[in-house]
Amino acid sequence: MSILPSEIHSALSQLFQSLQSNDNASRSLAEEQLNNEWIIARPDVLLMGTVEHVQAAPEAGTRSFAALLFRRIASKPRKVPGFEGSKELFLTLQQPQKQAIRQKLLECLQRETLSDVRHKIGDAVAEVARQYTDDDQTWPELLQTLFISSQSQDPGQREVAFRIFTTTPAIIEKQHEDSVLPAFTRGFKDSEISVRIAAMEAFSSFFASLNKKAQKKYYPLVPELLNILPPLKEAGDSKNLMKAFVSLIELAEEAPTMFKPLFHNLVQFSITVIQDKELGNPVRQNALELMATFADYSAAMCKKDASYTSDMVTQCLSLMTDVGVDDDDASEWNSTDDLEAEESDLNHIAGEQCMDRLANKLGGQAVLPPTFNWLPQMMISNSWRDRHAALMAISAISEGCRDLMEGELDKVLGLVVPALQDPHPRVRWAGCNALGQMSTDFAGTMQEKYHQVVLTNIIPVLNYAEPRIQSHAAAALVNFCEEAEKSTLEPYLDDLLSHLMRLLQSSKRYVQEQALSTIATIADSAETAFGKYYDTLMPLLFNVLRQEQEKEYRLLRAKAMECATLIALAVGKERMGQNALELVQLLGSIQEKITDADDPQSQYLLHCWGRMCRVLGQDFVPYLAGVMPPLLELAGAKADIQLLDDEDQIASVQQEEGWELVPLKGKVIGIKTSTLEDKHTAIELIAIYAQQLEAAFERYVLEIMEKIALPGLAFFFHDPVRIASAKCVPMLLNSYKKAHGERSPAMAKLWESTVDKLLEVLSAEPAIDTLAELHQCFYESVEILGKNCLTPTHMAAFVESAKSTLEDYQVRVKKRAEDQQEIEDGEDESEDALFAIEDDQQLLSDMNKAFHTIFKNQETSFLPAWARLLPFYNTFITSPDSTQRQWALCIMDDVLEFCGHESWNYQNHIRQPLIDGMQDEVPANRQAACYGVGIAAQKGGPAWSGFAMESLPALFAACQLPHAREEDHVYATENACASIAKIMRAPTSKVSNAQEIIPHWISTLPVVNDEEAAPYAYMYLAELIERANPAVIAAADKVFISIALALEADTLQGQTAQRAVASAKQVVQAAGINVNSLLGTLSSETQRTIQAYFV
């Protein structure tokens, strides 16, 4: 029965027809009418009228459109008087109106007989349900209706119930969880396949909404869930089997071990699907994806399975042979100029990507044996597809199997290098690909040990007849050369560049473009050695840049710009002479002629200007007037964001490049990421200009700081923009400081607005890695401003943000500990968890540096604000987590170093942690504690002298640990040695038995790693020698060798080195020792270094 009068229905019917009109003008007028006359003026009548059309319209198309329109309108934001912000339109209605509409929606859902319409009604119901759950409200009738529908005699009703559960799993409240098990069990066993699939999708969505502990009670459903699969395969129902695999993939990401009891069965079934070509490639690839997902999320379970790894490797290699169908001689492949044709849905690409994942997740020990069980025989197969697959497999697994493969590179190269002369072009191409990938994955080793094997074999490939192979060989050389030292490349430069210059004459534009990129990379690596080729190459590049070229040649010119500016950077301003200014003028001329938004030259120019700034230095300043306007326009770009209301809009945006779609509260937000990436690049380049030009960049600083850099710190649409802004701010401050002076009124004014924004974003940043970058921005800025640049208000605000950050950190640590308890035996922590731990460690490190910088510049004035954080230090210092202990120890060191006598006021918080820290099994913590004791003696005043003396036994013990001189521990040992010297030298020293201690201290030398610790140790040693201390004379040989080793290691520099040399000469003379006999105990290289000091 209709609630609204017939004239309302007539008006809405006419409006709905206009909204669906094919005429754009009519449709636009209808949209305007919908918004002004209905959504704004009468939203309650509109929503009720729309539902009544769903309920009563005789045409299925009208009912379907009305349901779609209801969903769209119900979610529109609407301002509510007395409420800050906005609410979704449906929730702003009066309670009776909402209740009436809800009731009608459920009636429509139960009465609709057409599947497509019922699905759209279900989507409308789900949208209202989502709004209720997001607003912490309930819709009591809905859950009961859905449970009844899930048991209906009508399969359509059963299906739509599960579809709604899929969209809004949060409607199932905790107290109803017991009803869920039987509902899903019935769904998995339903006689209709559409219901079984809907139940799978609903279960996947519901399962993901639960916490790890709650998920476990649903593990018993796995057998029934998996029983859905075999009948689908037997029936050849690829469409539904593909949907089933998608749900299983989602579940495997959430809780892979729930499949553990039946994992082997699932592996065997999935393998049969991957093998079955009759099922079609999409479902085969979904089965492959499911198996790869288990490797991603539960590598241990995969490795334990008897057949998983060998079966997966075999199937991946098999899929990788499915290449070049209907193009056996590769004529079509070689004739195409579209090198970036979309291939991601092809079997051979799926196989390669899966091999890469298996190698990275399972490691070489698991993956290499089954892989190399196949590869040798594939490499000698008569089928070129087998040989191609073998080479691509090597490319795919080399990163993940690096540790084991690195020792076998001779054998691997023995397989790869001959392929460069294979009769089939695609095999030769794959050989180039393998060498390029190995040059990256085994960077260093490939360049140092195998440069002759690689370069002498791949350079001739540049002469091959096939352009695609020429291009790919040149691309592989990029990988090799960008990781190569100048000395490695120098002998090959003539041969390399003569071949690459011939490629510049190729008839294929993509070959020319790649040759330019390769030459640019070689110039970057060869540096000044490239000067020999400058006179030959640069005129060619200038000619390319001077020519008026058609649109299709724009990328070629962009590559020429890149190549020319990298060569300029390699050879330097002096070698370029007048060419440097000519190149800048050419770049300016090109920039003026760019009119199209999609011209690739624009992007390349940004980086080219940055390079030329580095080449010219202050000589670049006159060109800023032309460079900066387009750069500032890009850097100041606003976020391009669209709310996508319907599936057509979403599909349209998905087809465009440079967009990211983000689901948000039942809607989809489109963000144009290409604009944001340009903004990020532009801000990075601004930082380069400010860094390079310093005071000469001052005229742009205020505008950039106000309109770009400071707003960029809170640009939450794109993390890289915030990070680039954080790196830019200190550079801008330094530029302004160089121009105006540290204490000028202009500098003070800029700092006032900057520091307030920095402190604001420290409290608002949601991303942990970006928050670390913001702390770095803060401490670098404080360092630039210098002494006493922070007011008490600033320091209080910083401590308040630190307090909030540390509280959030503790919550994350607690959550990770709880999650760790849920991990089953033999399972590794997830990669996400490991990354999160790394992010937190970096955050604590950058926070430490911020505290260090504030104490350094504010000294005791920071103590009142800082003291509010003492409860955190007391917790952290006794934590079982070594990172937390180190964090607390380092800041206690700062209190001792920069607060002098006043540090004693906190001795109850410092003494015991230092004592415990000197015995900490973690070397970084031991180092911090040993350093702290030395600083207490050196700068803490008389109050600390007794503690320092009492700490000597612990410091000596730290030097005498069995592993004291091992790489991980040596810095702790050397800090202990230096701290003993600080205690002995301190003006307030209470050491009464110094002469007994000195021989033991000499035994703790040398200090050859820590450049900060070495001067303290060797200055004390020099003083002892100058005083002719008998303990030093008695150990003259040890003393001399210790000084010699420090000199050879460069831990002694300048006046400290000179004094140490003079002391060494003095001690050997006093002891009557022959220097040459002592030097004879050292390596010949060390002897040559030391003799330079003593001749």
Side-chain angles (χ1 to χ4, degrees):
M1 178 181 172
S2 175
I3 294 176
L4 299 177
S6 59
E7 58 267 24
I8 294 288
H9 283 294
S10 297
L12 286 176
S13 294
Q14 188 173 352
L15 177 62
F16 292 172
Q17 287 177 6
S18 299
L19 287 169
Q20 298 174 80
S21 170
N22 292 325
D23 180 64
N24 289 337
S26 299
R27 201 166 59 251
S28 296
L29 285 172
E31 286 283 357
E32 190 176 332
Q33 182 187 358
L34 172 69
N35 188 59
N36 296 332
E37 297 179 18
W38 296 95
I39 294 176
I40 294 174
R42 295 188 288 177
D44 51 344
V45 176
L46 173 62
L47 286 179
M48 177 57 81
T50 306
V51 174
E52 291 195 338
H53 268 76
V54 175
Q55 185 179 40
E59 305 88 1
T62 302
R63 298 199 302 277
S64 181
F65 177 77
L68 192 67
L69 188 64
F70 176 91
R71 183 182 174 208
R72 174 183 154 198
I73 295 166
S75 62
K76 282 190 173 294
R78 184 190 186 196
K79 291 284 185 183
V80 180
F83 181 79
E84 188 177 344
S86 60
K87 282 193 167 189
E88 290 170 297
L89 192 146
F90 179 82
L91 292 179
T92 67
L93 304 183
Q94 297 298 314
Q95 186 61 31
Q97 296 167 334
K98 288 189 288 190
Q99 190 168 347
I101 291 170
R102 283 176 358 212
Q103 185 59 39
K104 280 194 175 288
L105 269 178
L106 293 181
E107 290 172 6
C108 293
L109 185 69
Q110 291 171 314
R111 292 178 183 175
E112 182 58 58
T113 56
L114 293 179
S115 175
D116 287 348
V117 180
R118 185 166 53 230
H119 287 169
K120 287 185 170 58
I121 298 171
D123 292 341
V125 170
E127 170 57 31
V128 173
R130 181 199 58 76
Q131 291 187 29
Y132 273 113
T133 54
D134 286 353
D135 202 49
D136 289 327
Q137 297 186 49
T138 59
W139 182 356
E141 311 93 337
L142 175 61
L143 201 57
Q144 184 63 26
T145 299
L146 294 182
F147 277 130
I148 292 171
S149 294
S150 71
Q151 301 174 61
S152 167
Q153 295 298 310
D154 180 354
Q157 287 294 325
R158 301 198 298 273
E159 180 188 0
V160 80
F162 285 117
R163 281 173 59 91
I164 293 172
F165 282 137
T166 302
T167 308
T168 53
I171 62 175
I172 303 174
E173 296 173 5
K174 221 173 181 60
Q175 63 266 33
H176 299 298
E177 286 180 3
D178 289 341
S179 308
V180 173
L181 269 168
F184 280 124
T185 302
R186 285 192 299 272
F188 296 157
K189 294 179 175 180
D190 199 281
S191 59
E192 293 290 328
I193 184 56
S194 61
V195 179
R196 297 201 296 276
I197 295 299
M200 283 189 83
E201 293 170 341
F203 178 69
S204 171
S205 178
F206 168 68
F207 190 85
S209 72
L210 303 173
N211 61 44
K212 294 293 182 186
K213 189 174 182 181
Q215 284 177 347
K216 288 192 172 181
K217 71 173 70 172
Y218 296 96
Y219 283 17
L221 288 175
V222 169
E224 298 297 343
L225 188 73
L226 296 182
N227 282 340
I228 296 172
L229 303 177
L232 296 175
K233 180 177 181 294
E234 289 165 15
D237 188 350
S238 296
K239 181 180 177 182
N240 283 311
L241 186 55
M242 192 159 63
K243 290 181 180 179
F245 274 122
V246 170
S247 294
L248 291 177
I249 290 165
E250 292 168 355
L251 290 168
E253 290 173 350
E254 278 292 324
T257 54
M258 72 187 288
F259 295 94
K260 194 172 184 178
L262 293 171
F263 183 61
H264 185 67
N265 302 45
L266 182 55
V267 170
Q268 291 183 314
F269 175 79
S270 299
I271 294 298
T272 65
V273 174
I274 299 168
Q275 291 172 323
D276 193 341
K277 295 180 181 180
E278 298 298 319
L279 287 170
N281 292 335
V283 72
R284 295 171 67 202
Q285 290 176 21
N286 272 18
L288 186 76
E289 176 62 27
L290 174 62
M291 291 294 99
T293 301
F294 281 113
D296 289 341
Y297 291 90
S298 185
M301 187 169 76
C302 294
K303 285 190 278 191
K304 288 177 184 175
D305 185 79
S307 64
Y308 174 89
T309 307
S310 60
D311 284 349
M312 281 295 288
V313 166
T314 301
Q315 294 311 311
C316 285
L317 291 173
S318 176
L319 289 171
M320 289 165 66
T321 63
D322 191 3
V323 61
V325 179
D326 301 326
D327 188 29
D328 198 59
D329 62 356
S331 56
E332 181 182 335
W333 173 84
N334 201 42
S335 63
T336 182
D337 288 356
D338 184 8
L339 305 189
E340 298 185 11
E342 183 59 51
E343 289 191 326
S344 59
D345 61 341
L346 299 182
N347 282 340
H348 72 96
I349 299 296
E352 289 168 25
Q353 292 173 346
C354 188
M355 283 291 284
D356 175 61
R357 289 162 70 182
L358 293 176
N360 276 294
K361 298 301 179 180
L362 305 186
Q365 285 190 331
V367 171
L368 283 178
T371 302
F372 276 86
N373 186 45
W374 286 104
L375 293 196
Q377 54 188 300
M378 292 176 73
M379 284 302 303
I380 59 173
S381 168
N382 291 328
S383 168
W384 71 263
R385 293 179 175 85
D386 288 348
R387 303 194 300 275
H388 180 277
L391 291 163
M392 296 307 292
I394 291 172
S395 299
I397 67 172
S398 60
E399 180 188 9
C401 300
R402 176 188 169 97
D403 292 343
L404 289 181
M405 283 180 70
E406 195 160 25
E408 303 291 335
L409 283 181
D410 287 309
K411 296 177 182 176
V412 179
L413 287 169
L415 291 174
V416 173
V417 169
L420 298 177
Q421 300 178 39
D422 193 277
H424 198 281
R426 294 200 69 165
V427 178
R428 298 199 296 278
W429 184 96
C432 295
N433 192 80
L435 283 180
Q437 191 62 52
M438 290 169 68
S439 296
T440 298
D441 294 335
F442 304 108
T445 304
M446 283 283 283
Q447 286 77 5
E448 291 166 18
K449 293 185 178 181
Y450 299 100
H451 54 85
Q452 185 174 14
V453 174
V454 175
L455 292 177
T456 57
N457 282 284
I458 202 166
I459 290 173
V461 180
L462 298 170
N463 286 337
Y464 283 9
E466 299 89 352
R468 288 194 71 168
I469 297 176
Q470 293 175 327
S471 174
H472 210 51
L477 282 166
V478 169
N479 292 31
F480 184 89
C481 294
E482 67 186 358
E483 301 291 348
E485 296 292 330
K486 169 185 169 184
S487 57
T488 300
L489 288 181
E490 208 160 350
Y492 302 97
L493 288 178
D494 284 349
D495 205 14
L496 271 169
L497 291 166
S498 63
H499 281 79
L500 289 166
M501 287 172 67
R502 279 197 290 273
L503 293 189
L504 293 177
Q505 312 306 316
S506 171
S507 61
K508 294 289 187 180
R509 194 167 61 252
Y510 68 80
V511 175
Q512 297 174 333
E513 291 165 0
Q514 182 58 63
L516 286 171
S517 292
T518 307
I519 291 169
T521 302
I522 293 170
D524 195 33
S525 296
E527 299 173 341
T528 53
F530 200 84
K532 175 182 175 183
Y533 311 94
Y534 178 85
D535 290 332
T536 306
L537 267 168
M538 198 58 99
L540 291 174
L541 297 172
F542 272 46
N543 285 338
V544 174
L545 296 178
R546 287 192 179 108
Q547 289 172 10
E548 290 294 332
Q549 293 176 333
E550 300 299 324
K551 186 173 182 178
E552 61 265 27
Y553 288 97
R554 295 187 308 193
L555 181 58
L556 181 67
R557 185 153 54 172
K559 296 278 188 180
M561 288 190 287
E562 177 185 55
C563 188
T565 52
L566 279 167
I567 290 173
L569 205 55
V571 302
K573 180 169 68 172
E574 300 304 320
R575 177 68 180 82
M576 287 192 76
Q578 191 61 30
N579 284 163
L581 297 180
E582 289 176 22
L583 179 54
V584 170
Q585 289 162 3
L586 262 176
L587 296 176
S589 174
I590 292 168
Q591 180 168 287
E592 288 174 2
K593 295 175 183 175
I594 292 175
T595 55
D596 295 343
D598 64 346
D599 192 330
Q601 294 176 112
S602 298
Q603 271 290 328
Y604 279 79
L605 264 171
L606 290 177
H607 295 283
C608 290
W609 286 128
R611 291 186 200 106
M612 292 313 296
C613 178
R614 290 161 63 191
V615 170
L616 293 174
Q618 296 299 316
D619 291 342
F620 187 76
V621 172
Y623 302 99
L624 283 175
V627 171
M628 291 304 295
L631 188 65
L632 293 175
E633 184 179 351
L634 282 176
K638 306 296 181 186
D640 187 350
I641 298 171
Q642 294 185 19
L643 176 63
L644 307 176
D645 283 328
D646 57 50
E647 293 174 3
D648 291 339
Q649 284 182 306
I650 294 169
S652 174
V653 169
Q654 280 177 326
Q655 290 173 3
E656 295 183 39
E657 286 189 11
W659 284 84
E660 179 182 352
L661 302 185
V662 181
L664 181 68
K665 291 190 173 181
K667 308 178 188 68
V668 174
I669 307 294
I671 303 174
K672 193 168 186 180
T673 52
S674 57
T675 303
L676 305 187
E677 286 157 6
D678 290 346
K679 181 182 179 76
H680 163 233
T681 300
I683 296 172
E684 283 187 324
L685 289 166
I686 287 171
I688 289 174
Y689 292 138
Q691 181 184 34
Q692 294 291 321
L693 302 176
E694 294 190 320
F697 195 70
E698 177 272 342
R699 61 183 138 153
Y700 299 102
V701 168
L702 292 180
E703 179 188 359
I704 292 170
M705 193 72 93
E706 178 188 352
K707 297 181 179 178
I708 295 169
L710 293 181
L713 296 173
F715 193 82
F716 294 110
F717 301 106
H718 199 53
D719 291 1
V721 167
R722 301 202 300 285
I723 291 171
S725 300
K727 293 184 184 301
C728 189
V729 166
M731 301 302 173
L732 295 171
L733 289 172
N734 185 59
S735 173
Y736 210 69
K737 172 184 166 182
K738 295 284 185 182
H740 292 275
E742 186 176 302
R743 299 300 173 192
S744 66
M747 189 72 222
K749 185 177 180 182
L750 175 61
W751 175 237
E752 184 180 356
S753 59
T754 302
V755 70
D756 288 343
K757 185 64 177 181
L758 292 179
L759 291 166
E760 176 190 322
V761 296
L762 286 178
S763 299
E765 176 55 52
I768 307 306
D769 56 343
T770 309
L771 183 56
E773 295 282 356
L774 292 175
H775 276 89
Q776 182 178 343
C777 171
F778 180 78
Y779 71 69
E780 287 180 353
S781 300
V782 170
E783 192 68 65
I784 289 164
L785 269 292
K787 290 286 183 184
N788 300 312
C789 64
L790 298 175
T791 66
T793 303
H794 293 149
M795 290 184 279
F798 176 80
V799 165
E800 188 59 35
S801 76
K803 179 174 177 289
S804 173
T805 298
L806 292 171
E807 287 169 346
D808 292 343
Y809 166 77
Q810 289 177 321
V811 170
R812 292 194 298 274
V813 169
K814 183 180 178 183
K815 175 70 165 56
R816 282 198 293 267
E818 291 171 355
D819 290 345
Q820 183 69 29
Q821 296 297 316
E822 300 296 322
I823 295 176
E824 297 189 16
D825 291 343
E827 288 295 318
D828 298 326
E829 276 193 282
S830 72
E831 198 169 75
D832 288 344
L834 295 175
F835 284 141
I837 291 170
E838 283 183 21
D839 286 345
D840 272 332
Q841 288 174 342
Q842 186 61 52
L843 173 61
L844 290 182
S845 174
D846 283 314
M847 287 183 74
N848 249 339
K849 291 172 185 173
F851 280 105
H852 173 84
T853 306
I854 297 172
F855 270 121
K856 175 184 172 183
N857 288 284
Q858 300 295 141
E859 298 178 341
T860 56
S861 67
F862 185 44
L863 285 171
W866 169 81
R868 292 180 54 211
L869 298 175
L870 279 171
F872 290 99
Y873 296 106
N874 295 337
T875 301
F876 281 32
I877 205 71
T878 56
S879 169
D881 181 350
S882 63
T883 301
Q884 294 184 28
R885 298 198 302 277
Q886 183 185 10
W887 185 83
L889 281 167
C890 287
I891 298 181
M892 293 305 180
D893 288 351
D894 291 331
V895 174
L896 289 164
E897 184 168 0
F898 299 113
C899 299
H901 297 263
E902 289 193 36
S903 63
W904 183 252
N905 297 332
Y906 302 94
Q907 55 98 8
N908 288 335
H909 300 277
I910 298 176
R911 287 167 56 99
Q912 193 59 46
L914 291 182
I915 292 168
D916 295 339
M918 287 186 286
Q919 303 167 62
D920 199 306
E921 61 183 16
V922 177
N925 295 351
R926 205 162 59 248
Q927 177 184 344
C930 292
Y931 175 82
V933 172
I935 285 294
Q938 185 184 19
K939 299 190 174 182
W944 284 102
S945 58
F947 169 77
M949 186 184 70
E950 293 164 5
S951 298
L952 285 171
L955 290 170
F956 276 111
C959 295
Q960 293 160 2
L961 293 169
H963 43 251
R965 290 287 168 183
E966 292 177 7
E967 184 179 355
D968 290 342
H969 297 265
V970 70
Y971 281 88
T973 304
E974 292 184 350
N975 268 269
C977 168
S979 289
I980 295 169
K982 291 174 186 176
I983 293 169
M984 302 295 284
R985 293 183 71 201
T988 58
S989 175
K990 294 183 179 180
V991 178
S992 56
N993 58 338
Q995 206 53 44
E996 297 175 23
I997 293 172
I998 291 169
H1000 297 291
W1001 175 74
I1002 292 170
S1003 71
T1004 68
L1005 294 168
V1007 177
V1008 293
N1009 293 277
D1010 195 319
E1011 294 177 3
E1012 293 183 14
Y1016 294 106
Y1018 287 100
M1019 283 299 93
Y1020 178 53
L1021 183 62
E1023 290 172 6
L1024 294 174
I1025 294 170
E1026 289 160 4
R1027 295 200 299 263
N1029 188 287
V1032 176
I1033 306 300
D1037 54 349
K1038 166 75 173 175
V1039 169
F1040 179 86
I1041 294 296
S1042 296
I1043 293 173
L1045 291 173
L1047 291 168
E1048 197 259 345
D1050 281 337
T1051 53
L1052 294 179
Q1053 302 282 336
Q1055 292 182 348
T1056 306
Q1058 293 172 10
R1059 188 175 176 187
V1061 169
S1063 300
K1065 292 176 179 177
Q1066 182 179 338
V1067 75
V1068 293
Q1069 185 177 0
I1073 294 173
N1074 186 324
V1075 171
N1076 289 328
S1077 66
L1078 289 177
L1079 289 176
T1081 64
L1082 304 173
S1083 70
S1084 57
E1085 187 177 342
T1086 303
Q1087 288 181 45
R1088 285 192 296 272
T1089 304
I1090 302 308
Q1091 283 168 346
Y1093 284 99
F1094 289 92
V1095 172

